[in-house]
Amino acid sequence: MAAFAVTGSTSSVGAPVVAGLGGRQAIVALLPGRSVALDGVGCLVSLVIGSVERPDGTGAPDRLADLRRALAVADATGVPRVVHLSSAVVYGAAAGNAVPLSDDTPVRPDPGFAWAVELAEAERLVAEWRDGAPGRAAAVLRPALVVSPDDDGFWPRALGGLSGPRVAGERRPVQFVHVEDLARAVITCATASSPVDGPLNVAPQGWIDADDAAAFAGAAFPPPRLPARLVRPIRRLLWAFGLGATPPEVEAYATHPWVVAADRLGDLGWIPTHSSEAAVVAISPGATLATLSPRRRQEILLAATAASAGGLVLGLAGLLVHAARSRRA
């Protein structure tokens, strides 16, 4: 008789979750587009929406449909607990955000970011399921930027704003959580002796500066600092020519703070084994700057700023000339 059912079992976080839970009880892996009976299952672990590793607008309706299907089966067969993987992007990114955001911060995803909106809708569906009958509990995990050595790090780079220009005079905190720590957070909630209910942030303690994060991720030079009025159009231009990592729809997340405090999860005994610095290195394990002392790295980054800014201006000028010639042709 199975104790756990898991959606998204083949994702970068799903595989270690299944391995961790499988040592305790049998597992039912729920595949996209299919329904199975969940008789005897004590906890549904929903990972399919929160473990998206690349932007995928076309898949969003299918992921929500899979979640609805799994919750309907859980409802029909009396599953009492759900552990659902969401993301801290549901809080939205704004200049006035608290640093850090607590577990009970209201959900306000940026309406232009389809995945964040989808995640918020998924949380609503999970809450609706929980409220549908007495005695149910739903833990909703909201991790910071998830880093896995097994994927290309698109979301950590894009949402972390690890490339492209920055606003002059502004410093932005960022957080990264290693996929192994996230998997242990899921397992902690799924196997807790008492049902875990409500939102739980997932992140190591504290945060790091975005410039330091870029260095740890392997950036050879620091992003240039420019007036605020120039940053967004330059980022959009870089993205349009395939030279940037910041899609227009995530501009707010790459500009404003949205770091979180994992107080509730810590109260359950979860302790991450990777700091934000150690997690972000997983994007680029061979990053040479990450091996230098903080002082030496700062010296190199400061010395490179002027050259980096000049190179960006020349590069953009070349792109604009090329675009103009292409239009005339």
Side-chain angles (χ1 to χ4, degrees):
M1 184 176 293
F4 303 99
V6 183
T7 70
S9 58
T10 60
S11 65
S12 61
V13 65
V17 166
V18 169
L21 292 176
R24 294 170 165 81
Q25 295 287 344
I27 300 292
V28 173
L30 300 183
L31 300 177
R34 300 182 185 179
S35 294
V36 297
L38 299 184
D39 297 298
V41 169
C43 179
L44 168 64
V45 180
S46 166
L47 307 176
V48 69
I49 293 179
S51 56
V52 173
E53 291 157 1
R54 289 302 298 261
D56 180 12
T58 60
D62 292 337
R63 289 192 295 264
L64 285 174
D66 286 337
L67 176 61
R68 289 189 179 95
R69 187 179 299 110
L71 291 175
V73 176
D75 180 59
T77 52
V79 175
R81 298 167 64 171
V82 164
V83 175
H84 175 73
L85 179 59
S86 184
S87 169
V89 299
V90 298
Y91 293 128
N97 273 356
V99 177
L101 297 165
S102 65
D103 299 289
D104 58 359
T105 300
V107 171
R108 296 190 182 98
D110 190 309
F113 185 19
W115 185 46
V117 173
E118 179 188 15
L119 286 165
E121 172 61 12
E123 289 194 15
R124 188 193 67 79
L125 293 174
V126 170
E128 187 177 74
W129 169 86
R130 180 197 58 205
D131 297 338
R136 291 178 177 175
V140 177
L141 299 179
R142 296 171 178 166
L145 291 165
V146 181
V147 176
S148 169
D150 298 328
D151 65 53
D152 62 6
F154 176 85
W155 280 131
R157 292 181 185 277
L159 295 169
L162 299 189
S163 65
R166 309 276 172 80
V167 176
E170 289 188 2
R171 312 298 292 185
R172 189 171 66 92
V174 292
Q175 279 175 320
F176 301 86
V177 58
H178 196 281
V179 68
E180 293 174 358
D181 288 327
L182 175 57
R184 290 194 305 103
V186 173
I187 294 169
T188 295
C189 292
T191 60
S193 56
S194 299
V196 181
D197 189 67
L200 302 97
N201 293 331
V202 187
Q205 187 174 10
W207 43 85
I208 57 178
D209 183 86
D211 285 356
D212 290 336
F216 281 117
F221 301 104
R225 296 282 178 175
L226 300 173
R229 68 181 183 281
L230 298 179
V231 170
R232 177 170 292 190
I234 290 177
R235 278 181 174 170
R236 288 177 177 266
L237 186 62
L238 290 172
W239 177 256
F241 280 93
L243 300 175
T246 307
E249 61 268 25
V250 304
E251 177 71 30
Y253 292 89
T255 304
H256 303 301
W258 49 286
V259 296
V260 298
D263 295 337
R264 288 196 65 211
L265 194 55
D267 290 342
L268 295 176
W270 177 81
I271 301 175
T273 59
H274 300 76
S275 64
S276 281
E277 293 91 338
V280 76
V281 167
I283 298 177
S284 181
T288 56
L289 287 181
T291 66
L292 302 177
S293 69
R295 180 174 179 178
R296 180 57 180 153
R297 188 169 67 250
Q298 183 181 37
E299 291 172 352
I300 293 174
L301 294 179
L302 289 174
T305 300
S308 174
L312 177 65
V313 171
L314 292 175
L316 288 173
L319 288 174
L320 291 171
V321 170
H322 175 76
R325 288 175 177 172
S326 298
R327 285 194 295 269
R328 287 197 298 268

